Amino acid sequence: MQPFVEIFGGSGASLGGIGLSGGLSDRILSVEITDEAEDKSDRVSIELDDRAGFDDGAVLGMPVVGSVLTIALGYVGGPVVTFGPYLIDELTVSSPPRLISVTGRAAAMSKSYRSPRTQSYHQKTLGTIMQEVAGRNGYSAAVDPGLSGVVIRHIDQHNESDMAFATRLASMHDAVARPVAGRLVVSRRGAGKSVSGLSIASVGLTEGDCTNWTFNYSAREEAGEAGGLEGSESGSTGGGVRAYWHDVRTGEKKEVTTGSEPYQELRYPFHNEAEAKAAVDAKKNESDRGKAAFSWEMVGDPTVQAESPLILAGFRPYIPALWRIKSVMHRIDGSGFTTSGDADLFEEKQQDVASNVGKTKPTDDDKIDEDAPPENVSSPAVGDDDLIIDLPSE
């Protein structure tokens, strides 16, 4: 099948593409689309021929900073996927050779979402907080039902953008928060769903499907004491994670653990047992995912997308079969259409962080405490620097 890409302007009019007729067809050298599963913005990069003989400004639909584009990518008579919209926010002109490069990022993000603000949230659910953040930025909130009812005793947003705050709050519960098509979507990592909440078909891959591939394992990335590949095969996940919380009812400092000794300790204490439990589970999941990585390149397939489960077959026996795709890059140029991706390890035994929050017996943390006194909010909020983890010495 013949691959093609077509570019559309904000009005929906075609601006041309590789293998098609149109205003930019004679100038397009390459189109590269990157689809991310995490909080990074999806993006597109387009490289144009700026050779002598073209009169700049005379070519209809020349992408400029501030323009909005969507991209159709696929095969003539085969699968075609539409990506975007993207807001063009970067322009580079270089010579020799005479080239124009434009870069765009997902156009769903409002300016206010990236602006710093200071605010405190007390005795609210995660869903309520995300609705508040979404509303003031012109979005509606779409929160995973398993996360929406999680009780947040207290959290501060101190000179922090709504984007950074929503990302931080979601990551505390092993989830991601991203604006998508007018909604602030909060979804769990590794759930096999897109950020819009729709189920994603798994991607099957054999060694013969890959033009090249790389598997990497690092025991340093495990929680607690570093383990080995052999231990990973036998079901061991290395050490565990431990966190502390303050019980205001008894005045005691208490601990929560997941996994087995030796423990990697989270540096800062938490408000209650539920928050501490969510934190250790999220950190353990992150460590389990991060101890191995897989990357590959293959003949272009526009249906491969980030967050999809990746199932490997026919590789080395010590290479795990189940993965989660973190990012995908589709590139089409004069040499053809290729798809490449990066994946981290996904194990079905990972903790469902949301399902564990609010189920601890001593503190009844699954309910809002209407009588809880307000906390001292004059001190700076817990920010990214406060989430540093003590790493084990090598």
Side-chain angles (χ1 to χ4, degrees):
M1 292 186 291
Q2 178 187 356
F4 78 91
V5 62
E6 187 168 11
I7 302 173
F8 298 89
S11 64
S14 173
L15 304 181
I18 293 177
L20 299 173
S21 61
L24 290 178
S25 296
D26 292 335
R27 302 192 75 171
I28 295 177
L29 297 177
S30 68
V31 176
E32 189 173 272
I33 295 170
T34 304
D35 180 24
E36 300 279 0
E38 302 294 335
D39 53 297
K40 296 179 182 177
S41 180
D42 296 342
R43 56 193 182 275
V44 64
S45 296
I46 303 171
E47 191 174 67
L48 302 168
D49 189 347
D50 190 34
R51 66 184 184 270
F54 282 109
D55 181 11
D56 286 341
V59 179
L60 180 65
M62 169 69 186
V64 295
V65 172
S67 60
V68 176
L69 305 177
T70 57
I71 312 291
L73 178 65
Y75 292 91
V76 177
V80 177
V81 176
T82 300
F83 298 87
Y86 302 102
L87 176 65
I88 301 301
D89 62 359
E90 185 175 333
L91 170 68
T92 302
V93 182
S94 60
S95 180
R98 293 170 59 99
L99 299 174
I100 298 176
S101 299
V102 295
T103 300
R105 290 171 173 80
M109 193 178 299
S110 65
K111 183 177 180 180
S112 63
Y113 190 60
R114 296 173 291 179
S115 301
R117 62 181 292 121
T118 297
Q119 186 166 338
S120 293
Y121 308 85
H122 191 61
Q123 295 294 330
K124 294 185 177 183
T125 64
L126 186 148
T128 299
I129 294 175
M130 290 298 185
Q131 287 175 358
E132 188 173 334
V133 172
R136 63 174 173 249
N137 291 285
Y139 306 132
S140 60
V143 183
D144 185 294
L147 295 166
S148 183
V150 172
V151 173
I152 306 298
R153 294 302 185 195
H154 185 89
I155 190 169
D156 294 323
Q157 178 181 1
H158 182 77
N159 197 29
E160 185 179 22
S161 69
D162 281 342
M163 177 176 66
F165 172 71
T167 297
R168 175 164 65 89
L169 178 56
S171 67
M172 290 167 60
H173 301 280
D174 209 24
V176 293
R178 296 177 65 189
V180 179
R183 298 186 299 169
L184 177 58
V185 179
V186 183
S187 58
R188 288 177 290 173
R189 289 186 176 95
K193 295 183 178 181
S194 67
V195 290
S196 61
L198 300 177
S199 295
I200 305 177
S202 60
V203 176
L205 199 63
T206 67
E207 187 170 2
D209 295 327
C210 305
T211 52
N212 61 74
W213 60 272
T214 301
F215 166 73
N216 175 261
Y217 176 87
S218 175
R220 293 189 301 272
E221 300 301 324
E222 291 191 10
E225 183 176 318
L229 185 57
E230 182 178 351
S232 176
E233 279 191 295
S234 63
S236 170
T237 57
V241 182
R242 175 164 54 198
Y244 295 95
W245 63 282
H246 180 69
D247 190 337
V248 295
R249 294 167 176 80
T250 66
E252 296 178 296
K253 178 182 178 181
K254 297 183 177 180
E255 71 175 44
V256 168
T257 63
T258 187
S260 57
E261 292 186 303
Y263 293 115
Q264 176 177 338
E265 292 190 0
L266 303 188
R267 181 176 297 175
Y268 294 91
F270 295 85
H271 293 91
N272 52 46
E273 187 174 5
E275 290 184 7
K277 178 61 175 172
V280 295
D281 285 345
K283 179 57 184 175
K284 187 65 166 65
N285 287 351
E286 178 187 351
S287 297
D288 288 346
R289 285 192 299 262
K291 65 188 177 185
F294 182 83
S295 60
W296 81 99
E297 184 175 295
M298 61 189 292
V299 173
D301 183 349
T303 64
V304 177
Q305 57 184 306
E307 199 62 43
S308 296
L310 175 66
I311 302 174
L312 303 183
F315 288 82
R316 308 298 185 270
Y318 51 80
I319 297 180
L322 186 58
W323 300 78
R324 163 185 170 266
I325 299 178
K326 290 200 307 182
S327 66
V328 176
M329 180 184 293
H330 301 289
R331 178 180 175 85
I332 186 168
D333 56 24
S335 300
F337 177 20
T338 60
T339 294
S340 58
D342 294 300
D344 57 14
L345 194 60
F346 180 73
E347 299 176 340
E348 293 178 303
K349 59 187 175 184
Q350 287 181 4
Q351 297 291 330
D352 182 344
V353 176
S355 70
N356 288 324
V357 176
K359 294 186 179 179
T360 54
K361 293 185 293 184
T363 60
D364 198 20
D365 282 333
D366 56 345
K367 297 179 182 179
I368 294 291
D369 186 355
E370 301 289 353
D371 299 324
E375 299 195 10
N376 180 10
V377 298
S378 60
S379 59
V382 175
D384 292 340
D385 290 340
D386 298 318
L387 298 178
I388 298 173
I389 305 302
D390 283 324
L391 296 176
S393 58
E394 297 182 19

